Amino acid sequence: MEYSLRELCQLSGVSARTLRYYDEIGLLKPVRVDATRYRYYDDTSIITLQTILFYRALRVPLAEIRHLLCVPLSEQAALLKAHPVSYTHLRAHET
């Protein structure tokens, strides 16, 4: 399924400005941009956005999130542990 920028904003609660910024920095690219420059996203984009929002909740910087998205899921936990702020935040929720 394909979602317009507006639809993705409504589904996720993320602002259009934020999604355009994520596109600009290469964090979340639309699957296509039409002739009128409207951005469109797919189901994989939604999963990626959920992952981005998860890491943002852990206070992981965007540059590190970009790196984490390129790493296999099995290695992401080890990398997260190397990020002291997010790991401390995560540990606080375990107790």
Side-chain angles (χ1 to χ4, degrees):
M1 187 166 180
E2 199 170 70
Y3 305 90
S4 68
L5 177 75
R6 183 178 186 174
E7 290 170 324
L8 187 55
C9 290
Q10 291 171 341
L11 284 171
S12 66
V14 175
S15 71
R17 182 177 181 190
T18 297
L19 291 176
R20 285 192 294 270
Y21 180 67
Y22 287 172
D23 178 15
E24 182 183 318
I25 65 171
L27 198 59
L28 182 67
K29 291 288 191 183
V31 291
R32 75 179 178 92
V33 179
D34 69 11
T36 59
R37 299 187 63 190
Y38 283 12
R39 292 168 171 85
Y40 292 92
Y41 301 86
D42 62 4
D43 292 329
T44 302
S45 302
I46 291 175
I47 293 168
T48 302
L49 181 57
Q50 285 178 316
T51 304
I52 292 167
L53 295 175
F54 169 75
Y55 287 135
R56 290 300 293 152
L58 295 176
R59 301 183 184 141
V60 177
L62 292 176
E64 192 169 336
I65 293 172
R66 187 178 324 115
H67 174 71
L68 285 167
L69 292 175
C70 297
V71 174
L73 190 58
S74 60
E75 297 175 26
Q76 288 181 16
L79 290 173
L80 266 182
K81 287 180 183 178
H83 187 273
V85 174
S86 66
Y87 185 66
T88 302
H89 183 72
L90 182 63
R91 296 282 301 175
H93 290 292
E94 289 179 355
T95 56

